[in-house]
Amino acid sequence: MSFRTTPSVDYVEDVSPGSGSLPPRAWYASSDARSLSLNGSWRFRLSATAGAEDDSFAEEGYDAGNWAEVTVPGHWVLQGDGAFGSPIYTNHLYPFPVDPPYVPTENPTGDHLRVFDLPSDWPSDGGAVLRFDGVESCARVWLNGTELGEFKGSRLAHEFAVGELLKPGSNVLAVRVHQWSAGSYLEDQDQWWLPGIFRDVTLLHRPSGGAGDFFVHASYDHTTGEGTLRVDSDVDGRVSVPALDIDVATGEPVTVAVQPWTAETPKLYDGVLVTDGERVPLRIGFRTVVLEDGLIKVNGKAVLFKGVNRHEWHPEHGRALDLESMREDVLLMKRHNLNAVRTSHYPPHPAFLDLCDEYGLWVIDECDLETHGFTEQDWRDNPVDDDRWTPALLDRAARMVERDKNHPSIVFWSLGNEAGTGRGLTAMAEWIHGRDPERLVHYEGDWNCRDTDVYSRMYAFHDEVEKIGQQLDGGTHKRRELPFIQCEYAHAMGNGPGGLADYQELFEKYERLQGAFVWEWIDHGVRHAELGYAYGGDFGEELHDGNFVCDGLVFPDRTPSPGLIEYKKVIEPVRIKGDGANGIVHVTNKQDFADLSALAFEWSCQVDGETVESGSLAVPALAPGESAEVKLPEPPVDGRGGERQWTVRALLADDTSWAAKGHVVAWGQFAVGARPLPSFPATDRPVPDGGRITLGPAGFDARTGALLTIGGVEVGATPRLDVWRAPTDNDDGAEWQTDTRYGTLWRTLGLHRMRHRLVSVEAGDDALTVRTRVAPAAREVGLDTVYRWTSDGERLRLTVSVTPEGDWTVPLPRLGVRFGLAEADRVEWFGGGPGEAYPDTGKASMVGRWQSTVDGLQTPYVRPQENGARADVRWVELGGLRIEGDPEFWFTARRWTTEQLDAARHRTDLTAGDTVWVNLDHGQHGIGSQSCGPGPLPQYFLKAEPAEFSFVFSTTR
């Protein structure tokens, strides 16, 4: 009898960072040394456990002809049409027992094989390095049958010396990747768990005398306008920067006049590091980051971060991101006025940082560290307070700093995210401060600021943020002297976030408040043939957090959401306000460094939403913080009455690297006078005719008072009071916010199942009056509702009066009427647009004349919910009807009912019916950010109180 020996897999559960890797060093994209990409198709075998297969696959001559294939970079669970397992989404719960450092025996393990030849002109001198830029979560590596080592730290680079092992042909690279390892305890980020070799694999020739590690120090003295350059290198050489006439030895400082690097003016100087064996291109940005006078200052000026948290994501490839997707992210950020990125919650692909340097974004570079799942054990056995894990933490800190230290865009090193507190974090902070004192250290969990240079918080409510700005927040003496940022705020999940403008007002009011980072950039929806985009639970996960992974400012395909459009408006670098009556525009430069010389300004005048005249506007090249008043021309006279408005835009005067000439950077809009309301004499009287009542152009059911037709337009369902909306993610709120989750409160009260009791139908001399009571089953509260119909012979006016009865303890979701049209497609309206808006998300809503289809009005949130309302609508035309409001109203139209929208879990659950359902809303409850942050502020509540509003219907046919 013989027994097969199970290979040793002790390294999987070892708390050490691994063995065999070279020390970390600076990453650079290219040099004149040869390199060979090993990306592409690899042979692949999946096993259910870490030790299911022996190591023979790594030997030369092993026949893997019957293995499957996967693409590297890539995640095996996103390939093979489900044959290789499925993604798992959790927010903070570990999807395995919390028993550090142990992981389950059921540990999906992917064996990867790549056979490659060296190019015929591959140099024969020197050595070679094999680099892995990202592998989740633990990898063991062999080359030509020789084990190189193993490593953990999924989003960090690891290199191995392989020069002596290489052959001209048929080199066998074998990599065993385990989904779970001790390292998984340090990587409990809010994202999909996706095993695989998901970043580049590269073979680098290392010529004799080639560059090793180097550190570019490029400071800027704002008092003299000079920069000092010093490049420290572990291999002697020279540094040249032709544009600055610099040619010095490594380690030697040189001071010259320079243009500084900032996120607004990202000036980079091309240089080169020359050693005996290699030339390495450098892109140098001169800037100095300090903590001074209780503020974060760059080049002598305090900065205001208008930022976002960015996970790496692609709906088909997960975190295996290509360069063009990274560039698209950066360009979208720049075009939407963002100036900062927090690389939540790990260092990104290094090419992304090159793009931040090039286009201009402040960066908080975050370490690959989160132990959030230990909150379930009250942080007991948390690795960051366990000395056994400290070497792994220090390794992760060093690999981040050493790889990324030459990027001028990085102003903060972040220790990680939601890992509690402990000695390991202190050790990381001390090491980073010692290695790079030219940047600041961030960590949100350190509320006492023992180890950090900034007081950082997540989702602090508006009132607390104001107290912090006023320095009335308490805390340690050190904390009270530090600047404040919100490293996460304004949770961009589904419809929202609301309250951005209210936050921004605080950030600009108090010097200590230096901005914030929206959570987050992109919805992590996984492309799915049947569901459109899948989220947590759609792959049968044992534990999951649903669509909490879809909380971005852009949809999975990188289409901007209304939240991003709103954010762009709120954080505009130019503030444009005006007094329409006096024709004065007040322009303020809200930038920190750049003047307004890159912008051109134009004005236009609208009458009833249509532009009647436009022209250029002379605005001085205001310095940062400066303001000016500019006179508009006299309003044009075109003989028409109607509502008049000015619109002023700030545009790019010339093409830039991130947008074309004419790109709108900022805008302001202001009325010339009050909106004129049309008169409506009620001249017609209701005429009973059998089972119908005729009033002007309309026909009603005599028994119920239901509207049946207007002119030749058939009404599929009569207008009647509607207070329900399909709760948004923010309405439903985070599960820990038990007292104020409005979606839950609304359902508990029964607002999703309101009943309508007809009290009377009264055909009077000048009006048809329908009295009803609208109330939820099982409750005594209600809404006395009166519909009063009048007509001037051609038009029909509906006045709705609502009086609450009983003790209403919660706000209403909406207040208005809903009705159905049998036929409608094209929609035109005069009011806010072009996109959706709600009471606390409406800054980006521009008043004008807009057109759409009914389908085009819908916002494609990954989980369906209330969406698509257009605000401040004066009139709308669809389905042969024109509807005017008194006062302005919110308008929504969709091909399914609110109840169907509420029941849907994916957009593919929604099926268009024969009726277009139209909501005309007098009020909407605010949106807020309660899916993780604060709910709507009180001024955005839709209180249950007496209300009256009117709509005028006419036909367009």
Side-chain angles (χ1 to χ4, degrees), residues 117 195 271 366 392 398 408 586 744 749 755 828 854 917 940:
D117 296 335
E366 193 145 272
H586 190 82
T744 301
L749 185 58
R755 299 292 182 261
E828 183 175 357
V854 169
W917 294 95
Y940 305 118

Side-chain angles (χ1 to χ4, degrees), residues 725-791:
R725 72 184 187 196
T728 67
D729 292 314
N730 288 306
D731 289 338
D732 283 336
E735 61 183 16
W736 57 86
Q737 296 170 319
T738 55
D739 295 333
T740 56
R741 296 172 67 190
Y742 296 104
T744 301
L745 294 173
W746 294 335
R747 289 188 196 278
T748 301
L749 185 58
L751 300 188
H752 61 306
R753 47 179 172 79
M754 300 291 276
R755 299 292 182 261
H756 298 249
R757 177 168 63 86
L758 179 63
V759 176
S760 65
V761 178
E762 305 165 5
D765 289 340
D766 61 350
L768 174 65
T769 303
V770 181
R771 302 182 186 277
T772 67
R773 187 175 189 271
V774 183
R779 303 290 176 177
E780 65 178 356
V781 298
L783 300 167
D784 278 347
T785 307
V786 178
Y787 308 91
R788 189 171 187 272
W789 297 95
T790 57
S791 176

